[in-house]
Amino acid sequence: TGDGGGGGDAAGYPDQSITFVVPFSAGGPTDTVTRLIAEPISEELGVQIVVQNVEGAGGTVGAGEVANAESDGYTVLMHHIGMSTAPALYQDLGFDPLEDFEMIGLVTDVPMTIVARNDFEPETLEDLIDHVSDNADSVTLANAGIGAASHLCGLLFQDAIGVTVQEVPYEGTGPALTDLVGGQVDFMCDQTTNTSGQIAAGEVKAYAVTTPERVASLPDLPTTEEAGLPELEISVWHGLYVPAGTPEEIVTQLSDALKVALADQGVIDQLADLGTAPVPEADATPDAHRARLEEQIESWGQVIADAGVEQS
Ligand code: MLT
């Protein structure tokens, strides 16, 4: 199987433009990382990369579309930690992350930041915990839908402090951040690849980063551990996928092109400005990616079950 049809067989691959599906809105963190690596991958493969945003249901709509696409190497999915939480969060997912995809390789692990609208009362993470605990029924928490990284971080935050707040889902944290800057929603947990610019510009209030170490490009932000919430630790791993049955030669060509992109100085510098870095070359491989996904499905499944979250 896996001859795919579509753009010819592996021998002539690639001989037409390749679509990279981003399962969230344009302008958000997943979109940003994808567009960053699309350019050097396009140069390496010698064809155009078309980035297509397919939003909805915390990234599961876009992932499902790629699971059912031709296995010809011309439809690639960029997705993140949400691929590993979806099985625990959705009763009828419509695809199996491990069975319905070939993995191309890991891309980057992105820290998250806890941010709020500028005129939100709490000044520190401790103040935020107190304020949210005392006003759980009126505080609003933005995310990119059930299964999004922002949703998972919000879930961990609420579970850690023992309250449930009103969640406001968006089709991506790009539009969510716009509303946060506009003061329409109170706070959010989102990736540095989206929030760094607004934090530096003083357009949002930032309380902490969710990584064990501070983020070099955001040196003034304490870690959640320093700020009194050690339980909240998460970084958003990203990987590239193609539909199951895609010929191995094509998977290898895409993985090799990914490695070239992650070694590109422009990509390295831009990711550093956004608070993150490419994964080591050894992780930009199908085996490393599959191992990470298997381990993450297992571990987040347990965390989500322990948090008593009902499947949607
Ligand atoms: C997420 O919360 O999963 C992402 O930040 C969504 C996005 O890339 O817009």
Side-chain angles (χ1 to χ4, degrees):
T1 64
D3 63 0
D9 61 20
Y13 178 85
D15 59 11
Q16 60 182 270
S17 65
I18 299 169
T19 299
F20 272 40
V21 171
V22 170
F24 295 101
S25 311
T30 314
D31 189 63
T32 297
V33 169
T34 305
R35 291 175 194 275
L36 263 183
I37 65 169
E39 208 178 300
I41 289 177
S42 168
E43 278 161 38
E44 180 64 17
L45 292 177
V47 292
Q48 196 195 358
I49 303 268
V50 176
V51 175
Q52 186 185 13
N53 301 89
V54 180
E55 298 97 339
T60 57
V61 170
E65 274 203 16
V66 176
N68 296 308
E70 289 291 329
S71 306
D72 57 10
Y74 290 102
T75 305
V76 179
L77 170 70
M78 165 68 86
H79 204 354
H80 58 34
I81 196 166
M83 197 67 142
S84 62
T85 57
L89 292 168
Y90 286 89
Q91 215 147 27
D92 178 15
L93 192 53
F95 62 87
D96 181 315
L98 290 167
E99 299 301 318
D100 294 335
F101 297 92
E102 307 297 344
M103 272 117 247
I104 299 299
L106 296 170
V107 178
T108 180
D109 288 53
V110 182
M112 299 193 89
T113 52
I114 302 174
V115 292
R117 60 183 167 84
N118 255 341
D119 51 1
F120 198 42
E121 197 183 307
E123 287 304 322
T124 66
L125 186 62
E126 230 169 293
D127 298 342
L128 178 70
I129 293 167
D130 293 343
H131 182 85
V132 171
S133 303
D134 297 343
N135 303 279
D137 53 359
S138 61
V139 166
T140 52
L141 168 65
N143 64 38
I146 293 174
S150 45
H151 166 258
L152 177 61
C153 186
L155 185 135
L156 296 175
F157 178 82
Q158 294 172 83
D159 190 46
I161 69 173
V163 297
T164 301
V165 299
Q166 186 189 329
E167 294 183 2
V168 182
Y170 291 79
E171 304 247 290
T173 49
L177 187 59
T178 302
D179 269 10
L180 195 71
V181 169
Q184 271 79 44
V185 64
D186 291 332
F187 75 117
M188 171 165 75
C189 185
D190 191 22
Q191 300 175 69
T192 55
T193 36
N194 195 32
T195 58
S196 293
Q198 299 293 16
I199 292 171
E203 291 289 329
V204 292
K205 198 170 277 185
Y207 298 108
V209 293
T210 63
T211 37
E213 304 299 325
R214 289 197 177 202
V215 173
S217 56
L218 296 166
D220 304 335
L221 271 190
T223 64
T224 42
E225 184 178 23
E226 286 174 290
L229 197 61
E231 311 92 304
L232 182 49
E233 193 176 302
I234 178 173
S235 68
V236 184
W237 62 274
H238 291 66
L240 289 179
Y241 302 80
V242 288
T246 301
E248 193 177 341
E249 309 91 298
I250 291 179
V251 169
T252 304
Q253 270 188 268
L254 285 167
S255 179
D256 290 347
L258 171 61
K259 290 190 187 88
V260 169
L262 296 183
D264 178 278
Q265 197 54 52
V267 169
I268 294 167
D269 294 346
Q270 291 176 81
L271 287 177
D273 289 346
L274 294 171
T276 190
V279 298
E281 185 178 347
D283 287 347
T285 59
D287 290 350
H289 183 173
R290 182 166 287 275
R292 173 74 69 88
L293 180 56
E294 285 167 350
E295 180 276 318
Q296 290 277 290
I297 289 174
E298 181 67 32
S299 57
W300 290 115
Q302 195 55 58
V303 168
I304 288 165
D306 293 348
V309 176
E310 295 298 310
Q311 280 192 318
S312 294

